[in-house]
Structure formats: C-alpha cells, structure tokens
Amino acid sequence: MALRIGDILIEKGLITRDQLERAVQEHQKTKEFLGQTFIRMGFVTEEKLLRVLAEQQGIAFLSLRDVKFDDAVIKKIPVKFSWHYKIMPIRWHDNVLTVATSNPFDKWFIDDLETNLGYRVEMVLALSSDIMKTIQKYYGVGADTIERILAETPHEEKAAEVGVKEKVEDLEKVSDAASVVKLVNQILQQAIRDRATDIHFEHFRGNLALRYRIDGILYDAQVSENMRYLYSAIISRIKVMANMDIVERRVPQDGRAKVKIGDKEYELRVSILPTLHGENIAIRILPTLMLFNMSDLGMHDKELQVLQRVLQKPHGIIFVTGPTGSGKTTTLYTCLSQVNTRERKIITIEDPVEYELKGVSQIQVNPKISLTFASVLRSILRHDPDIIMVGEVRDFETASITIQTALTGHLVFSTIHTNNAASGATRLIDMGIDPFLITSSVEMFIAQRLVRRICPDCKEESRIDGDKIGLKDIPQGMDITRPIFRGKGCPTCNHTGYKGRTGIYELLVMNEKIRDLILHKESADKVQLKAIETGMNPMVLDGWEKVFAGMTTPEEVHRVTQVEE
C-alpha cells in the first residue's frame, strides 16, 4: 500500500524515485504513515498528497474554507470525539453523517462513532490545519479542555483556584493534561494568532462572554457554554500570572504578565473590574519588541516632511490629539524613535508604560503615592533631559508645567483629548492656560484616527454606495466616479474584508495667522478654517484620499470621522 502511494506520486511527477527511496528509509525508522514522511521531509504538500489519496480511495477532497456549516450537523458529534479523532462533521442526510478527516487509513473513528452515536459514517478528506481551525471556530476555543476538566473534576471542585510560579509563561510548552492553565493558554494563543489587541471576559447573569478586539472592532469568540463553570478558576489563573491578589474580589486590580509563543514574547496588561455578577477581565496584548518606523504611520510624503521638519526644532511642544484607541501613543513613540540618538537624553512620563524604548528613561505614574505627571515633571528637569514625553495633559497643573518646560528649551511630546487639531488650543485655554503661553510654546497639533485596511487577499473593485454613505459626506472636489475597493471577505481576514489598520491625520503647524486667532481666543472652527486656508489637509480629506488609493473603504472613514462631520 505504502509503495503504491509512492508509485502514484512518481507517476504524477510530484516526487522523484530518489525522494521515494529516502522517504521509505525514514518511514522504516519512524513507522509513521509514509505520506506524513513525504510531508515532513518537504517532498510534497499535504494538499497534493490528500488529493492523490482521495483519487486512489475513491472519496472526495474538500476545502473546508468553502463549506458552510450547520449548527445542527455540528451537534451530531460531541466535542470530545471531534478533538480526539481530529474530525469535523460536514453533512447529515438520511441517517448518514459525512465527516472530514486528514488520514483516510485511520478508520477506527468510523466504528467508534457508529457504535456510540448510531449513525452511518462516511468520510471525505481535508487539510489537517483546516480541520483544526474549523473545530476551534465552531466548537469554541478550548472546548475540548473544558469538557475534559468538567468530566475529570468533582462538581464541588469545578471552581478550584489554580496557580503556578513561572514569571514568563511559554504557551506552547504545556502538558496534554486538561487543566485551567492549559485552557487560559489556549485562549491567549488563539487571540495572538487572530491578531487581537485585547481580550475581554464579561460575566453576566448565567452567561459568560469572551470577545477579542481585532483591528479596533470587538468580535465574539466562539466558546463552550460550559466555560462559565470554570470562570472562577480562570480568574484565579490570570491573577496568578499577573501577580494579583487572588482573594480580593471587591476592588479593581491591575497587573502585568509576560507570555511566549515560539520565539516571540508578549506583554499582557491585565485589568480586573468587579461588576454586579462577578469580575470582568480585560487583557491588553503588547509585543515586547516593537520597531517604530515613520513610514508605517500612514502619512503622505508631504505630511511626513512637515513632521520631520518640526522634529528638528530644539524646543517647543508637539501635541497629538484624538480619542482613546486612535493610535496617539504609537505616533509619539515613533517620533521619539526618530529623535532618539546617543547625543540626546530622553525621559518619558506615562500612564501606563506601553512599550519599552531602548535608551529612553521611562517613568510610570502612580497616583496612589502621589507620583503624578506634574510631580514627576518638577523633578526630571534636574536630570537635564533634552526631550521629554508627557503621556497626557489632562489638567491645568500638568499643562502649565509642560509649557514652562518647553519655554525653557526642551522639546516636549504629549497628548490631549480633542476631536480635531484646531480644538487643541481651545482645550488648553479651557484648562486655564494663557493664550500667549500656547502660541509661544506649541509648534504643532496632530489629530488622528485609525481606519481598517482592506484585506489584500480578497480586495476587489467596487463603487460608492450612496445609500450607505451620503454624497454630502464626500469632500467637495472629489471625483466620485473613480472606482474604489472593498474586501469581499476570506479566511485570511476572518471574512471581515479588513486586515490591519492605518492612520488618517491632520497636521496643524503653528504660523502667524493661527497664533493671532488663538491670541484672540477665536473658536476652534475659525482656527480650523484658517489652517485649511494656509495648507492643512483635513482628516476627512486624508481619509477619502486613502479610499481612492485603495487602502480603506468609505464606511471606515465615515465611522471614525462622523463626529467631525
């Protein structure tokens, strides 16, 4: 049988006679299925091998990416069978259940299913990776682990607390034993593989929700409904990882943990919040190594040149504005990386420190011990820094000291919460800052938002839908007859049509006309109009330029800029 497979592969030109002989020698040592040897040695891909086997065995080969699964069919096989045999139910008709497997010679599962479930079982072939992804998607993350824990654990111990002492958790080096440790690791692994930036556990009356934030949007993760029985143990495990108090359940807690997948390390920022029906958990996933590049920000060449010019100034303030989650910190870190040389001393004050920057002294504020932005600012000037980053200006005291720092010859970076660049000055005036101090110290306001990028694998030409996006929302002068692009949805982007994000910006550089309006305390609208007159590209226009460049969609630009409109 094994040699017949080899001969067929040779006949089809997929392997050579020499490769067959080498694979047979290896097969005799390992005793594994010869086809697996071909795949492991890189002689043939799994898909090509399975298509040959399907033809040889007279059965079908399916791409599970093209299959629509019915919940009623999935329920025909319990999760323990699906995970154990690595099979996925496909169809149900006339008491015949069709299942996908990646090994046509392992037919033990057919007898097992027919004996235990009473169905007649037929098989089709599919890629093993597609089968595992589909099992995870439809049965839920860690579903098999949950079932095994509940089956092996006495009822009164199902919520037992679990803990380990390791500081850096290697998520891939975990035993096969069913445990809450393994379950939490599976949830974290899946989130990182899905490019999630946040994980949210939300506990409601009789229900537990698990959601991942991917490209700024929250998506429900498919999980077993039985996970709620293990929630106390899950909380305890996460608290142990983040060095929190396991016993305390009445007050919010914050902590950090490091995990490892393969050769990559990630830092987890964990926040636990007591709610009406139990503790909620939010986990922020941050890579420990980030390379900040100006070209990755998504600014046009003209805007990058303007920013680079301002970064060369010896003193002054650059404010980045926008709501939470708009990418302000990434922009600040990128600017700091640009000016970070051995000839300059840089100190940052942050809440919290999100990424570690080599060669930069980073301080995390702690209001519990009166370590605030203002108090740290007073002290760090004694360390003679050239450049300072203040995580956020949120009150008069911090704003005042920040401006004084800039006036004494320091280049300062900071953030402020406003809807657009022109509102930055009026926000500072509202805090009580003298307009003269603003015009003397501030060099630039950068407003930004993040929009999702169109998935390159399913990108297709489209047209503007006037029903979804009103024509009034398109800036004047735009040629709306030009084609645009949208993502059709594919497995690469999890059928969302989007993969990754980029920024849209407006850069308000201070000039004499803008300073004059600020000195006279004119409204943000007048400042905005004057800035556009003197060359500023408004954020909405920048977004639409990226739409017609095929980077994002009109819906995304409308979603993040509709407040401005």
Side-chain angles (χ1 to χ4, degrees):
M1 176 71 74
L3 290 179
R4 284 217 316 267
I5 295 170
D7 291 336
I8 293 171
L9 292 174
I10 291 174
E11 184 182 323
K12 290 185 176 293
L14 297 176
I15 64 171
T16 64
R17 178 66 61 180
D18 177 62
Q19 287 175 329
L20 173 60
E21 292 174 357
R22 287 162 55 195
V24 169
Q25 290 176 0
E26 180 70 14
H27 160 73
Q28 289 171 348
K29 295 178 186 176
T30 62
K31 304 303 181 184
E32 67 185 347
F33 168 50
L34 182 59
Q36 293 295 327
T37 308
F38 287 133
I39 295 170
R40 182 167 54 80
M41 296 181 75
F43 295 158
V44 68
T45 65
E46 184 185 18
E47 181 173 350
K48 288 180 179 178
L49 176 68
L50 289 180
R51 287 187 183 277
V52 170
L53 289 174
E55 182 181 332
Q56 182 198 34
Q57 299 288 316
I59 56 180
F61 174 84
L62 282 183
S63 172
L64 297 191
R65 299 182 178 192
D66 303 325
V67 176
K68 291 185 178 179
F69 293 87
D70 187 343
D71 286 342
V73 176
I74 292 170
K75 290 177 181 176
K76 295 292 183 184
I77 296 185
V79 62
K80 62 181 180 181
F81 284 110
S82 187
W83 276 99
H84 179 69
Y85 289 117
K86 306 295 186 290
I87 58 176
M88 186 68 197
I90 304 293
R91 286 187 298 271
W92 167 258
H93 182 67
D94 288 343
N95 207 44
V96 177
L97 182 66
T98 304
V99 300
T101 178
S102 61
N103 186 353
F105 303 113
D106 183 9
K107 297 183 180 179
W108 286 103
F109 75 86
I110 294 180
D111 295 334
D112 201 359
L113 290 179
E114 290 182 342
T115 301
N116 285 278
L117 304 179
Y119 314 140
R120 195 161 68 82
V121 177
E122 293 181 352
M123 71 163 70
V124 295
L125 295 186
L127 295 177
S128 57
S129 58
D130 285 354
I131 291 173
M132 295 309 298
K133 286 178 183 176
T134 310
I135 291 173
Q136 278 194 334
K137 181 176 180 180
Y138 288 96
Y139 283 103
V141 181
D144 177 52
T145 305
I146 293 169
E147 295 299 320
R148 288 163 64 189
I149 293 172
L150 293 177
E152 296 169 8
T153 308
H155 178 74
E156 63 273 11
E157 296 178 11
K158 284 180 180 177
E161 293 173 349
V162 182
V164 296
K165 295 181 180 179
E166 287 181 73
K167 296 299 180 186
V168 178
E169 304 288 344
D170 191 332
L171 300 189
E172 292 185 334
K173 292 182 179 178
V174 62
S175 69
D176 289 332
S179 67
V180 173
V181 173
K182 181 178 179 180
L183 174 60
V184 171
N185 286 358
Q186 288 174 328
I187 292 169
L188 292 172
Q189 280 180 299
Q190 189 61 44
I192 291 170
R193 290 194 184 109
D194 288 347
R195 300 180 297 105
T197 54
D198 300 86
I199 305 172
H200 295 267
F201 292 87
E202 296 162 315
H203 201 216
F204 307 103
R205 186 188 298 274
N207 185 33
L208 174 65
L210 173 62
R211 298 198 285 175
Y212 294 153
R213 188 180 295 279
I214 303 170
D215 294 332
I217 306 294
L218 278 172
Y219 296 96
D220 283 307
Q222 184 72 28
V223 294
S224 167
E225 60 182 16
N226 291 330
M227 185 182 284
R228 67 180 187 270
Y229 298 124
L230 301 172
Y231 190 49
S232 294
I234 290 171
I235 292 175
S236 297
R237 166 61 182 157
I238 292 172
K239 283 182 176 178
V240 168
M241 290 177 67
N243 294 315
M244 294 179 179
D245 185 346
I246 294 178
V247 179
E248 182 56 74
R249 296 172 182 170
R250 301 164 300 168
V251 297
Q253 293 191 67
D254 294 301
R256 288 174 178 265
K258 278 190 177 181
V259 296
K260 184 179 180 183
I261 290 186
D263 57 352
K264 291 186 177 179
E265 283 192 2
Y266 298 85
E267 184 160 313
L268 308 180
R269 213 170 64 213
V270 183
S271 177
I272 293 185
L273 195 67
T275 65
L276 183 63
H277 298 293
E279 292 174 290
N280 282 6
I281 308 172
I283 303 175
R284 184 79 187 275
I285 303 171
L286 301 167
T288 54
L289 179 62
M290 278 283 285
L291 299 175
F292 297 97
N293 196 314
M294 297 293 281
S295 60
D296 294 336
L297 291 176
M299 290 186 185
H300 296 297
D301 290 341
K302 181 182 175 182
E303 292 172 326
L304 278 177
Q305 289 171 8
V306 171
L307 179 57
Q308 295 272 20
R309 192 165 61 247
V310 175
L311 290 177
Q312 300 307 314
K313 292 181 178 287
H315 53 77
I317 306 177
I318 298 172
F319 276 111
V320 183
T321 81
T324 302
S326 60
K328 299 188 299 296
T329 302
T330 300
T331 300
L332 285 177
Y333 277 41
T334 303
C335 290
L336 284 179
S337 298
Q338 185 73 13
V339 297
N340 184 14
T341 63
R342 294 304 300 164
E343 294 79 30
R344 292 179 171 132
K345 182 177 178 69
I346 303 176
I347 300 179
T348 72
I349 315 165
E350 306 172 61
D351 183 22
V353 174
E354 291 202 13
Y355 303 103
E356 290 184 24
L357 290 175
K358 187 177 181 181
V360 176
S361 301
Q362 296 173 269
I363 303 168
Q364 180 161 318
V365 302
N366 186 352
K368 293 179 182 178
I369 57 172
S370 300
L371 191 67
T372 62
F373 285 113
S375 64
V376 176
L377 262 172
R378 291 192 189 95
S379 299
I380 63 175
L381 293 180
R382 301 189 190 103
H383 288 254
D384 191 28
D386 299 291
I387 298 168
I388 298 170
M389 185 185 96
V390 182
E392 183 185 346
V393 168
R394 57 179 72 155
D395 53 48
F396 170 77
E397 187 179 18
T398 306
S400 178
I401 300 173
T402 300
I403 287 174
Q404 292 298 331
T405 301
L407 292 174
T408 54
H410 299 85
L411 184 61
V412 182
F413 298 91
S414 190
T415 70
I416 192 169
H417 283 287
T418 63
N419 288 329
N420 56 28
S423 299
T426 55
R427 177 78 182 98
L428 291 170
I429 292 171
D430 289 342
M431 287 182 189
I433 302 299
D434 191 309
F436 173 75
L437 294 176
I438 299 172
T439 58
S440 302
S441 59
V442 178
E443 295 292 339
M444 172 189 279
F445 289 101
I446 304 172
Q448 68 178 80
R449 299 288 188 278
L450 290 176
V451 292
R452 291 182 289 174
R453 281 180 168 273
I454 299 170
C455 173
D457 290 349
C458 60
K459 185 176 180 179
E460 61 180 10
E461 192 172 304
S462 181
R463 292 284 173 183
I464 294 175
D465 189 342
D467 294 331
K468 291 183 179 179
I469 301 295
L471 298 182
K472 63 180 177 59
D473 296 330
I474 303 175
Q476 293 182 353
M478 280 275 178
D479 179 9
I480 62 172
T481 62
R482 286 182 290 169
I484 62 170
F485 294 87
R486 287 187 173 90
K488 184 171 63 175
C490 66
T492 303
C493 60
N494 204 19
H495 300 282
T496 63
Y498 298 99
K499 186 179 180 184
R501 289 190 289 177
T502 189
I504 58 174
Y505 301 88
E506 59 185 26
L507 275 60
L508 192 159
V509 182
M510 299 292 276
N511 56 44
E512 290 308 314
K513 293 180 179 179
I514 299 295
R515 289 189 175 97
D516 187 58
L517 291 176
I518 294 172
L519 284 171
H520 289 87
K521 297 186 179 181
E522 295 289 357
S523 68
D525 290 341
K526 288 186 177 180
V527 174
Q528 179 85 351
L529 288 172
K530 184 59 68 176
I532 294 172
E533 282 178 22
T534 55
M536 184 184 81
N537 199 31
M539 192 163 29
V540 176
L541 187 61
D542 185 35
W544 277 95
E545 286 174 352
K546 286 182 169 70
V547 167
F548 288 112
M551 296 171 66
T552 188
T553 62
E555 292 79 14
E556 273 298 285
V557 175
H558 180 71
R559 178 178 67 87
V560 301
T561 62
Q562 57 187 329
V563 175
E564 320 314 320
E565 296 164 6

